[in-house]
Amino acid sequence: GGTALISGSLSRAIAGLNASWARERPDDDRFATSVSVDETRRATLLALDAIRIEAAEEGWDGYGASPVFQDTVAQAISFLRLLPTRVPVPDVSASPSGEISFHWSTSPNRVVSVAVSAAGRLTYASLVGDSRNFGSEALSDELPQSIALSLQKVLGLGSER
C-alpha cells in the first residue's frame, strides 16, 4: 500500500523533473530516452523522500519538531523544478519547523540556504564574503530573482539560464 504510493509518487516526480529539464535543454543528449534522468537530481528526490519518511511524525528530532507534510515535499519538488540544470545538488534537510531546507556552500563565507514551507513560502539567506542577503518570497512558476542572484553569487554562475 504505502510503499507503492511513495514509489509511484517519486516516479511521477522524477518523470516530471526529467520532462521539464528536457524542455530546458532540448538538444542535450542526456534526455535522449524517456528513462534517462540526471542522477544528481534523482539523488535530491531520494533525499526528499527519505526526509518525508523520517520526519513524518511530530517530534521526529526528539525535541518536538513539527512533521514534514506531503504538501511540503510537493512544494520542495516544485522549487527544484525551477532551478537551472547547472545548479549543483544541494544538501537537503528537514527543519524543526517542518520546512525542507536546501543548502549550497562553496566555502565558509559563500553559502546560500532556501527553506520551503507547505504553503509555498521560500525563506532564503546567503553570505558572500561580508555581504549578507535574506528574505522571503512566494513560490511561483519562476525562480524568484532574489534567490537566483544569491545562487549565482554563491555558486559563481553566470546570469544566463
Side-chain angles (χ1 to χ4, degrees):
T3 304
L5 180 63
I6 292 165
S7 179
S9 167
L10 185 58
S11 295
R12 285 189 299 280
I14 290 170
L17 284 172
N18 193 34
S20 67
W21 292 322
R23 284 191 300 277
E24 182 180 327
R25 301 245 173 136
D27 298 328
D28 192 328
D29 289 340
R30 291 179 297 162
F31 301 105
T33 65
S34 62
V35 295
S36 175
V37 68
D38 182 351
E39 290 301 317
T40 58
R41 304 298 182 180
R42 180 185 299 262
T44 304
L45 287 172
L46 291 173
L48 282 173
D49 199 48
I51 287 168
R52 186 192 58 74
I53 293 166
E54 293 170 14
E57 309 256 336
E58 183 86 25
W60 56 266
D61 66 346
Y63 298 100
S66 296
V68 172
F69 295 111
Q70 184 59 41
D71 288 348
T72 309
V73 175
Q75 297 288 9
I77 291 170
S78 294
F79 171 70
L80 281 176
R81 286 185 175 134
L82 300 177
L83 296 175
T85 55
R86 70 185 185 284
V87 172
V89 175
D91 290 327
V92 184
S93 61
S95 71
S97 63
E99 296 177 328
I100 293 177
S101 297
F102 298 92
H103 182 84
W104 295 265
S105 177
T106 55
S107 72
N109 64 347
R110 294 181 75 87
V111 178
V112 63
S113 291
V114 179
V116 182
S117 75
R121 175 68 41 202
L122 304 174
T123 305
Y124 66 94
S126 67
L127 173 66
V128 180
D130 292 332
S131 176
R132 293 184 173 110
N133 187 28
F134 57 91
S136 184
E137 301 276 353
L139 182 62
S140 67
D141 59 352
E142 291 185 14
L143 186 64
Q145 190 67 21
S146 55
I147 294 173
L149 289 172
S150 290
L151 286 167
Q152 288 170 11
K153 289 177 183 177
V154 168
L155 300 174
L157 303 173
S159 60
E160 76 285 345
R161 191 175 157 106

